[in-house]
Amino acid sequence: MKSKNIGKKKLRKTTVKKSTKMKAIHKTAKSNFNENDSDEIEEDMPSYMNEVDEDDLEDEGEKHKQDLEKLKQSDPEFYKFLQENDKKLLDFNLSDEEVDDDQSESGNAKDREVHEPEENLEVASDESDYEADDADETKLKDSRIITHKLLKVWSTDIHTDKTNKTIIALIQAFHAALNTVTTQEEIQEPAIFKVEGSAVFNGVIQLCVLELGPAIRRFLGIHQGSKMPAHKCKKFIKIKRVLKGYFTDLLKLLLGVTSSNIQTVLLKHLHYMSGLLVSYPNITKSLVKQLVHLWGTGDDSIRVLAFFCILRITNNQQVAVLETVLKAMYMTYVKNCKFVTFKGLAAINFMRRSLVELFALDANYAYQHVFLYIRQLAIHLRNAITVNKAENVQSVYNWQFISSLQLWGNLLSVCYNKKTMQSLVYPFIQICIGTIKLVPTAQYYPLRFHVVQIMMDLAKETGVFIPVMPFLLEVLTTCDFNKKHQKVSMKPLHFTCLLRLSKSQLQENGFKDMVIETVYGQLLECLSAQSHTLAFPDLSLICITQIKTFLKNCKNPNYTRKFKQFIEKVEQNSQFIEKERSKSTFNITDFKQIDGFETQIKIKGTPLSTFFENWNKLRTIKKNKQLTNNEEIGDYDIPTIKRSKKDMNKAGGPVELFPSDSDDEGDEGENKNRKKRGKRGGKNVKKRSADESGPIEDTGEKDIVEDIEMADW
């Protein structure tokens, strides 16, 4: 009944609206007539009304038709306007009131279906509306929960589906999995799906890591090895927004994960997906910062993977990313070089080499940064020389300054073939020489050796002559090697992780041994690099004379033996060069023939270079043994002898493995024990003491040898 009343009310409203429309149309029609036309209508209307009775006109629809026909004749333009804009008014047949009466009496089949309900209707309660909504919500929730079956369906569909539906579903599932890990405050967008359980979480991430990258490439039509960016593909618009959300989620996951195994998997996946990051420059900058952080703080494998990701991203987006990458990586390198230890030395060397590789990508662009950083080092050195305070000296004599010198020395040796970087070699060498001369005392000999090694490596790679030997020969003249040491060092000193020596280390014998060994090795390396040149006999003459004076003054046979061997090898090499030089007929000014002569001798090999190669192999083996601490590890493998129970009972206790050296002390100790125990014990005590002092009986049983455990100590 309610529905019938509502239907009637609606029909009445519609009829009222239609009647008002009709009146408005009549008004507009009259207003649009011309003045002449209106006079004609007023004259015609009475005769027209007399001809036709009002009773014959049963409905207003026929009147309306007649009015429209007159309108067509009087104002055809307005009639055309009505035909184009509102045809329903022109096709009007019946009035609204008659339609209502006809429908109420006779009725129409279609209207009955809408407005007349069935006789037996169930009255719905108020709670039924809410029950239906709850059922729909539960169905939706059940459909949103990710299960193993759904993951299997996705894993098969992603290979066959040519649309973007499976890709979008996987990315949304990845977002849902990430929301389970993050807090509610950090969640920016709610997830469509729901992930429950760690197994489903791992399955979603595994499926995304393994299958998502190849599926996106197949969808976009990017073949393997093609360098076409993703945003130039036609179908990229369909996954642009979703892929951006995936990269942001991947960045969040990299920020939150601490496990090295998960980080390696994610970094490998990011390395594969890094080609698609060209279309998202804003995300790449934040990703690069996180990768640089992992490159500076992660494990060895994570550092390598992070560097590969950075290298690939910078190759793809060199213009946009290179500046931020170089600045961030240099700052992290300097921070990690604050303290140098044997454990962190390998990581620092890897960071330096990888940073050199990134600077070498574009030498012209890198020149601006390298110039500023070398200038900054020169300013620190100038302040230390002019002010001459402990704080300013400490700003130069630290590991960050020396590590940056090592970095720029390696970079200049790699990029020396480019003209822009050649101009930085001279100021760099001047900074190195200034750091050595700042505090030339024995306390800073390790720092001197580090800087000399930087200059020697640069001279080897570039072929530039750098005067290094005076700084090494100065050590032999300034330090007194005849003075006896006050302390004996149990372990040998290593200058690899030292810049400054303490006063106690200067008094040890290991200090002098290490100084002689490093001077000997660096002089040998320096002269072997120049052993193929024509000027070698003249170059080595000053070195030989100063070493001979050192041999006269030094009284330690171990030191003199080394340098006598050194002089023999150098003189042998100089004689070899003089013989080869006597055979040549070219002029001294002909540099091309001189270069050819030196390259031939270098290919053949010189006596000093072959000797240095053999000596260097033995030195590296010795260094590796000392760095791995093989001797200390070997001390823990001392076996112990454990007697059987029979021997323990006979001997009355365990046998001393390390008895005292003097027999008198042992006898006195035994006599004391006998006096003390004699009052209490009697005969059995004497027999036991005699057995302890006597030899151990051999019963023929094998001794059980076991390793000492840490708990036994």
Side-chain angles (χ1 to χ4, degrees):
M1 294 298 289
K2 284 182 181 179
S3 61
K4 266 187 179 182
N5 294 325
I6 291 163
K8 286 181 179 180
K9 286 178 181 178
K10 286 182 179 179
L11 287 170
R12 285 173 186 170
K13 287 179 182 178
T14 52
T15 52
V16 170
K17 286 180 182 178
K18 286 182 180 179
S19 62
T20 52
K21 280 184 181 179
M22 292 297 297
K23 289 177 183 178
I25 289 163
H26 285 297
K27 286 180 182 179
T28 52
K30 287 178 182 179
S31 62
N32 288 321
F33 291 155
N34 295 324
E35 292 177 359
N36 296 322
D37 295 332
S38 62
D39 296 332
E40 291 175 2
I41 290 165
E42 288 175 359
E43 290 175 359
D44 294 334
M45 280 296 288
S47 62
Y48 176 72
M49 291 299 291
N50 292 321
E51 290 177 1
V52 181
D53 295 330
E54 291 181 357
D55 296 328
D56 294 331
L57 296 171
E58 294 177 354
D59 36 344
E60 294 177 359
E62 291 178 359
K63 284 183 182 180
H64 182 60
K65 281 184 181 181
Q66 291 175 3
D67 292 334
L68 289 172
E69 286 177 0
K70 287 183 180 181
L71 179 67
K72 186 177 179 181
Q73 292 175 1
S74 62
D75 196 355
E77 291 180 359
F78 182 72
Y79 189 82
K80 284 182 182 180
F81 176 79
L82 291 173
Q83 278 183 343
E84 289 174 359
N85 292 315
D86 201 352
K87 290 181 180 180
K88 292 180 182 179
L89 294 172
L90 298 175
D91 296 330
F92 186 80
N93 291 321
L94 298 172
S95 65
D96 295 329
E97 293 176 355
E98 287 179 352
V99 169
D100 194 5
D101 295 332
D102 293 334
Q103 283 181 355
S104 62
E105 290 175 1
S106 63
N108 196 2
K110 292 180 181 179
D111 294 330
R112 281 179 186 175
E113 290 177 2
V114 176
H115 297 292
E116 292 182 3
E118 295 178 359
E119 294 178 355
N120 297 322
L121 286 174
E122 292 181 358
V123 179
S125 63
D126 296 332
E127 295 178 355
S128 63
D129 298 330
Y130 298 105
E131 287 175 1
D133 295 333
D134 293 334
D136 294 333
E137 285 180 1
T138 51
K139 285 180 182 179
L140 287 169
K141 285 180 181 178
D142 293 333
S143 63
R144 288 174 183 175
I145 294 169
I146 297 170
T147 58
H148 290 287
K149 291 181 180 179
L150 186 60
L151 289 173
K152 286 180 182 179
V153 171
W154 283 344
S155 63
T156 53
D157 289 344
I158 201 163
H159 294 284
T160 58
D161 190 9
K162 293 182 180 180
T163 61
N164 60 348
K165 289 181 181 179
T166 312
I167 293 167
I168 291 167
L170 270 177
I171 291 170
Q172 288 171 353
F174 186 83
H175 182 67
L178 187 66
N179 283 350
T180 57
V181 179
T182 55
T183 58
Q184 292 182 354
E185 295 177 354
E186 295 177 355
I187 293 169
Q188 295 179 356
E189 293 182 1
I192 295 169
F193 295 103
K194 191 174 182 181
V195 176
E196 293 180 351
S198 60
V200 178
F201 179 84
N202 293 329
V204 168
I205 291 172
Q206 187 177 0
L207 189 61
C208 289
V209 166
L210 295 175
E211 302 294 341
L212 190 61
I216 290 168
R217 288 179 182 274
R218 284 195 300 271
F219 177 73
L220 295 174
I222 299 170
H223 300 288
Q224 190 174 3
S226 66
K227 295 182 179 179
M228 186 176 69
H231 59 269
K232 290 186 179 180
C233 299
K234 292 180 180 178
K235 295 181 180 179
F236 181 72
I237 300 166
K238 295 180 180 179
I239 58 167
K240 182 180 179 181
R241 186 179 177 184
V242 182
L243 194 60
K244 184 179 180 181
Y246 179 72
F247 280 122
T248 53
D249 290 337
L250 192 63
L251 176 61
K252 287 178 185 177
L253 195 60
L254 276 171
L255 287 167
V257 168
T258 56
S259 175
S260 59
N261 295 322
I262 299 169
Q263 282 177 350
T264 51
V265 172
L266 292 174
L267 287 171
K268 286 177 182 177
H269 176 59
L270 183 62
H271 184 263
Y272 184 80
M273 298 282 287
S274 58
L276 302 171
L277 282 168
V278 182
S279 307
Y280 305 104
N282 293 326
I283 299 170
T284 50
K285 288 183 179 179
S286 54
L287 260 173
V288 160
K289 288 179 182 178
Q290 179 61 22
L291 289 170
V292 169
H293 177 71
L294 292 172
W295 172 75
T297 58
D299 297 335
D300 294 336
S301 60
I302 291 164
R303 285 174 190 266
V304 174
L305 287 169
F307 169 68
F308 284 142
C309 291
I310 292 164
L311 186 63
R312 193 166 185 182
I313 289 166
T314 49
N315 282 323
N316 293 329
Q317 306 180 40
Q318 193 168 347
V319 178
V321 181
L322 186 61
E323 186 177 358
T324 57
V325 167
L326 293 178
K327 286 181 180 179
M329 289 180 77
Y330 180 69
M331 292 302 293
T332 51
Y333 171 73
V334 171
K335 285 178 184 177
N336 287 323
C337 293
K338 195 171 185 179
F339 301 103
V340 177
T341 58
F342 287 110
K343 290 181 180 179
L345 191 63
I348 291 167
N349 291 329
F350 168 73
M351 291 173 73
R352 184 171 63 249
R353 289 170 186 169
S354 57
L355 190 53
V356 165
E357 190 171 352
L358 282 169
F359 270 105
L361 287 174
D362 190 358
N364 295 320
Y365 182 76
Y367 172 80
Q368 301 172 3
H369 295 277
V370 178
F371 176 80
L372 289 173
Y373 291 135
I374 290 173
R375 183 174 174 274
Q376 193 174 7
L377 296 175
I379 289 165
H380 284 294
L381 181 63
R382 185 191 65 187
N383 292 331
I385 291 166
T386 54
V387 179
N388 198 10
K389 288 184 180 180
E391 295 176 357
N392 295 316
V393 172
Q394 196 63 35
S395 65
V396 175
Y397 278 20
N398 55 15
W399 271 115
Q400 290 177 336
F401 192 90
I402 301 300
S403 298
S404 58
L405 285 177
Q406 290 174 350
L407 173 66
W408 304 131
N410 290 335
L411 180 63
L412 291 173
S413 61
V414 170
C415 300
Y416 184 72
N417 55 355
K418 294 174 182 177
K419 292 181 180 179
T420 54
M421 302 298 277
Q422 287 178 6
S423 59
L424 294 173
V425 173
Y426 179 75
F428 175 74
I429 292 166
Q430 291 297 317
I431 292 166
C432 292
I433 292 168
T435 53
I436 293 170
K437 290 181 177 180
L438 184 61
V439 184
T441 58
Q443 202 171 12
Y444 290 103
Y445 278 166
L447 185 140
R448 179 189 291 251
F449 295 140
H450 285 299
V451 177
V452 165
Q453 190 65 45
I454 292 165
M455 290 192 287
M456 282 197 298
D457 293 335
L458 183 61
K460 270 186 195 176
E461 297 294 330
T462 58
V464 178
F465 177 74
I466 301 170
V468 173
M469 282 191 294
F471 301 109
L472 296 172
L473 295 170
E474 187 182 357
V475 175
L476 298 175
T477 56
T478 54
C479 187
D480 189 7
F481 293 97
N482 294 323
K483 191 177 180 180
K484 290 183 179 180
H485 53 273
Q486 296 179 1
K487 291 181 181 180
V488 178
S489 56
M490 299 299 292
K491 294 180 181 179
L493 281 172
H494 296 288
F495 292 159
T496 52
C497 297
L498 284 175
L499 290 179
R500 180 179 174 275
L501 295 167
S502 61
K503 291 181 180 179
S504 61
Q505 287 174 339
L506 290 169
Q507 294 173 358
E508 294 177 358
N509 60 343
F511 162 69
K512 293 177 183 177
D513 295 338
M514 199 64 199
V515 166
I516 290 292
E517 191 174 352
T518 51
V519 169
Y520 175 79
Q522 287 186 347
L523 281 172
L524 194 63
E525 186 178 358
C526 179
L527 289 172
S528 65
Q530 300 290 330
S531 62
H532 64 281
T533 57
L534 284 171
F536 180 79
D538 305 323
L539 185 67
S540 62
L541 182 63
I542 298 167
C543 180
I544 290 166
T545 53
Q546 287 192 5
I547 288 170
K548 283 180 179 179
T549 54
F550 167 74
L551 292 172
K552 288 178 183 178
N553 296 323
C554 185
K555 295 177 182 179
N556 194 338
N558 294 323
Y559 302 158
T560 55
R561 194 183 300 117
K562 275 190 175 183
F563 281 101
K564 281 178 183 178
Q565 186 185 17
F566 174 77
I567 288 169
E568 288 176 3
K569 297 295 178 183
V570 171
E571 287 177 348
Q572 186 180 355
N573 194 82
S574 61
Q575 288 173 5
F576 172 76
I577 294 294
E578 284 176 355
K579 284 181 183 179
E580 295 291 330
R581 194 165 63 179
S582 62
K583 294 177 185 178
S584 61
T585 57
F586 53 82
N587 293 323
I588 298 170
T589 56
D590 194 355
F591 296 108
K592 289 183 179 179
Q593 289 184 356
I594 290 168
D595 292 334
F597 173 77
E598 288 178 352
T599 51
Q600 285 178 359
I601 293 170
K602 192 175 183 179
I603 291 163
K604 287 179 184 178
T606 58
L608 190 62
S609 62
T610 53
F611 174 73
F612 174 72
E613 286 175 2
N614 296 323
W615 177 83
N616 196 21
K617 287 178 183 177
L618 296 171
R619 185 181 69 170
T620 51
I621 292 165
K622 188 178 178 181
K623 269 188 178 181
N624 292 328
K625 282 183 179 179
Q626 289 175 351
L627 291 172
T628 52
N629 294 323
N630 285 328
E631 296 176 358
E632 293 181 1
I633 293 165
D635 291 337
Y636 292 107
D637 297 332
I638 299 168
T640 57
I641 300 168
K642 290 188 178 181
R643 305 292 294 174
S644 61
K645 290 181 180 180
K646 292 180 181 179
D647 296 331
M648 294 284 285
N649 292 326
K650 287 181 180 179
V655 182
E656 292 182 4
L657 290 175
F658 303 104
S660 60
D661 295 330
S662 60
D663 295 330
D664 297 332
E665 290 178 358
D667 294 334
E668 288 176 359
E670 285 175 3
N671 292 325
K672 287 178 182 178
N673 290 327
R674 284 174 189 174
K675 288 177 183 178
K676 287 180 182 178
R677 291 177 184 174
K679 294 177 182 178
R680 286 182 282 165
K683 295 180 181 179
N684 293 326
V685 176
K686 291 180 181 179
K687 287 180 181 179
R688 191 177 292 170
S689 62
D691 290 333
E692 287 175 359
S693 61
I696 300 167
E697 293 181 0
D698 190 5
T699 58
E701 294 181 358
K702 292 182 179 180
D703 295 332
I704 300 164
V705 181
E706 294 181 358
D707 295 337
I708 294 173
E709 295 180 356
M710 294 300 293
D712 296 334
W713 292 93

